[in-house]
Amino acid sequence: MANLSAEAFGLLMNSMQPKPIGKGQYLLKEGQVCKAIYYVEKGYLRTFYTKDGKEINTRFSFENDFVTELKSLRSAIPSDYSIQTGEETVVWEFTKEKLLDLYGQSVEIESFGRNLLEQMLIDQEEHANLFKIYSPTERYQYVIRQFPHLLQRVSLSHLSSYLGIARETLSRIRKNP
C-alpha cells in the first residue's frame, strides 16, 4: 500500500474497518463463495483444503500479507479451500463489491489491485514449484531460508502438512539438518 498516493490510500482505508478475529475462527469455509480479499494487520491465517479427512495446508499469511481464494472470488463459485486464523488476528476486509467500486473511482487503486493479484499468483506458483523441484529436505531448508517465522508460529503438524510430508518425517529432517 506504500505505493499509493495519500488520496488513493485514504479512499481505500475509508472503505473498510479492522476486524478482530479469535484463534481458530474461519474467514472462509470450504464450499462457501469467497467475497473478499483480506489484509493481515496482526496474527496469521492458514489456507487449507480437506482430503480424505485430512487438512492439507497450502499457505500461511502473516502480518502485511493479503489473502483470498482467487478462483472463488473471481468466478463466484464455491471455494475448494478454507481460510482460518492461527492465532488472535486482525484483518482488514476488502469486499469484491467495494474494490470494484474503488477501481472505478481511482486508476491508481485499480493498478494496485492488479499488482496485488499478480503477486498472489506468483506466490501460488512458488508454492507449487516447491513440490516440483525440491525434495522434502530441500523444501524444509527453503522454508528455513525464506520463511523462518513459520518455525516459531506454526505447529509442526501444520508445517508438515504444508511441506507435504508426515510429521515424523519432518521431525527426522529437523534432527539431521
Side-chain angles (χ1 to χ4, degrees):
M1 287 198 264
N3 296 338
L4 293 175
S5 68
E7 182 182 342
F9 185 76
L11 268 175
L12 202 56
M13 297 310 288
N14 288 333
S15 71
M16 65 197 148
Q17 298 281 328
K19 182 176 178 180
I21 307 167
K23 179 180 180 178
Q25 300 298 305
Y26 287 85
L27 294 176
L28 177 69
K29 287 187 178 179
E30 198 172 319
Q32 293 178 329
V33 174
C34 184
K35 297 180 180 189
I37 296 174
Y38 301 95
Y39 171 77
V40 182
E41 178 181 307
K42 175 183 176 276
Y44 81 87
L45 304 171
R46 72 181 182 108
T47 302
F48 66 95
Y49 64 94
T50 305
K51 183 171 183 168
D52 301 325
K54 277 184 65 175
E55 293 178 351
I56 311 297
N57 294 292
T58 59
R59 181 171 183 194
F60 297 99
S61 305
F62 293 89
E63 289 85 1
N64 302 314
D65 282 342
F66 287 87
V67 65
T68 193
E69 209 281 85
L70 285 173
K71 182 178 173 185
S72 177
L73 180 72
R74 178 75 171 94
S75 304
I77 60 173
S79 175
D80 293 326
Y81 297 88
S82 294
I83 301 173
Q84 182 184 40
T85 58
E87 59 191 30
E88 296 291 320
T89 301
V90 176
V91 298
W92 291 74
E93 181 180 60
F94 298 82
T95 65
K96 182 178 179 179
E97 290 77 23
K98 284 183 184 177
L99 277 174
L100 291 175
D101 182 49
L102 288 171
Y103 290 172
Q105 294 178 49
S106 169
V107 173
E108 195 177 350
I109 292 175
E110 183 180 21
S111 177
F112 171 78
R114 185 177 55 254
N115 289 334
L116 172 62
L117 293 177
E118 287 172 1
Q119 185 58 53
M120 292 174 109
L121 288 171
I122 290 168
D123 292 346
Q124 286 179 352
E125 185 176 305
E126 186 175 315
H127 180 267
N129 285 340
L130 277 177
F131 296 92
K132 296 175 189 170
I133 299 170
Y134 300 114
S135 71
T137 301
E138 291 168 329
R139 288 195 294 267
Y140 177 70
Q141 291 167 346
Y142 176 84
V143 165
I144 289 173
R145 284 190 313 275
Q146 300 295 322
F147 310 106
H149 56 282
L150 283 178
L151 304 176
Q152 284 82 42
R153 295 175 70 184
V154 173
S155 74
L156 284 182
S157 296
H158 286 166
L159 183 59
S160 63
S161 166
Y162 174 75
L163 294 171
I165 57 178
R167 185 170 179 197
E168 297 77 22
T169 302
L170 177 58
S171 294
R172 274 195 303 279
I173 290 171
R174 292 178 72 208
K175 286 180 187 174
N176 304 311

